[in-house]
Amino acid sequence: MSNQARHAPTIADGYGAAWMLARREWVRFFRQRNRVTAAILQPLLFWLLFGTGLKGAFSGSGELDFMQFFLPGTLGLIVLFTAIFATISVIEDRREGFMQSVLVAPVGRWPVLFGKVIGGSAIAWVQAAVFLTLVYVVGTVSISWTVIPILVLLAVVAVAMCSLGMIVAWPMESTQGFHAIMMLGLMPMWLLSGSFFPIPVLDASASWGQWILGGIMRVNPLSYSMVELRRLMFPHIDFAAVGFAPSSPLCWAVSIAMAVVTTLIAWYLMRGSRKVDVIV
């Protein structure tokens, strides 16, 4: 027997492993310069093209033009794309054998989830913050005290989207299947969150199609994050007078609940499914 006692892994060891995995996500991201460039320019291009093209044809959001209305949706799109690219590395790591090496470590599985989610969320948050800074510089939004809660809410949404990406990526065997599921699920989730067009008002004059669409958009938890982002960016506008606008406490509660629930589901899948450990 060795003179040196073999110590059991501690919580500190787990946090250290999670930090190393998160750091690895950052290193991989910044080593891919084309990915760094595309992460900022693609949402900026979408915002400029859609905002300019639909500016004259948009109505129904109070005092906002389409470039202002679409701004929270653009931030959501940045987080969405980052969640897709950050969590797809789970499949790549499994094929390369790296994930199997991590899973047999004595620290357990939770550092894998924390490392991937925190690493991807941090990348998404920084990209959204850089884009928001550019928007402040050009004067589309005025700088005020609300910039702090905006950044906090973006962090919550980033955690929720990356955890959702982990839910899809963990049991997936191919990157092609992952992209198909993410595009089928996340893109409609973003489109039906009030990011691209207002959530319709449901009253006696609404058609059955508006009732169905409006109901789906109200059930979508991302809708509440978009409503609160828009309210924080333009605090002088009473959005409740022009459409669907739940209270701030409700929007924050739904956003935080979305992050917590998706993270817990991802953790449950990682603990309960062992067959994915041997997918190569």
Side-chain angles (χ1 to χ4, degrees):
M1 188 173 176
S2 173
N3 294 331
Q4 215 174 17
R6 188 179 182 183
H7 82 284
T10 63
I11 296 296
D13 294 330
Y15 282 120
W19 165 250
M20 291 304 298
L21 288 172
R23 184 173 178 272
R24 180 172 178 267
E25 292 297 316
W26 273 82
V27 171
R28 291 176 66 175
F29 175 75
F30 285 107
R31 281 182 178 176
Q32 301 171 351
R33 297 184 179 179
N34 54 345
R35 184 180 167 190
V36 176
T37 304
I40 299 298
L41 293 184
Q42 186 178 30
L44 181 62
L45 185 62
F46 280 8
W47 180 59
L48 292 175
L49 289 178
F50 284 119
T52 305
L54 297 175
K55 190 173 183 178
F58 178 76
S59 62
S61 61
E63 306 169 26
L64 302 182
D65 58 32
F66 189 76
M67 291 194 74
Q68 294 172 321
F69 177 84
F70 188 45
L71 183 55
T74 307
L75 292 171
L77 193 62
I78 293 173
V79 175
L80 175 71
F81 281 151
T82 304
I84 292 175
F85 290 116
T87 53
I88 200 174
S89 63
V90 172
I91 303 173
E92 297 172 350
D93 289 342
R94 187 185 295 124
R95 290 188 176 278
E96 295 168 0
F98 175 80
M99 186 59 66
Q100 284 84 349
S101 301
V102 174
L103 291 174
V104 299
V107 292
R109 293 177 171 237
W110 67 266
V112 178
L113 175 63
F114 273 54
K116 288 290 185 180
V117 170
I118 298 302
S121 301
I123 294 172
W125 184 85
V126 169
Q127 290 177 23
V130 170
F131 178 80
L132 190 61
T133 302
L134 295 176
V135 171
Y136 279 126
V137 169
V138 300
T140 304
V141 177
S142 300
I143 298 178
S144 66
W145 64 270
T146 58
V147 68
I148 302 300
I150 286 174
L151 293 175
V152 173
L153 185 55
L154 285 173
V156 172
V157 175
V159 170
M161 293 296 101
C162 285
S163 296
L164 189 58
M166 286 294 294
I167 293 173
V168 178
W170 188 253
M172 198 63 62
E173 299 183 18
S174 68
T175 55
Q176 293 86 353
F178 175 82
H179 276 295
I181 296 299
M182 293 297 275
M183 289 297 101
L184 183 63
L186 280 188
M187 285 305 293
M189 182 180 182
W190 174 75
L191 286 171
L192 296 176
S193 66
S195 300
F196 198 72
F197 53 88
I199 299 175
V201 178
L202 301 181
D203 53 24
S205 62
S207 64
W208 64 269
Q210 288 178 316
W211 276 93
I212 294 175
L213 183 64
I216 294 174
M217 296 178 78
R218 283 164 170 78
V219 172
N220 183 2
L222 191 58
S223 299
Y224 296 81
S225 303
M226 294 298 105
V227 168
E228 185 61 18
L229 277 176
R230 195 168 287 116
R231 180 187 286 123
L232 290 171
M233 289 180 181
F234 307 100
H236 61 284
I237 298 179
D238 182 13
F239 290 101
V242 295
F244 176 73
S247 64
S248 288
L250 178 59
C251 290
W252 278 97
V254 172
S255 300
I256 294 173
M258 177 174 62
V260 172
V261 170
T262 51
T263 303
L264 290 177
I265 293 174
W267 170 231
Y268 174 79
L269 290 177
M270 291 183 67
R271 289 190 61 190
S273 179
R274 300 284 172 172
K275 68 176 184 178
V276 297
D277 299 358
V278 296
I279 294 176
V280 293

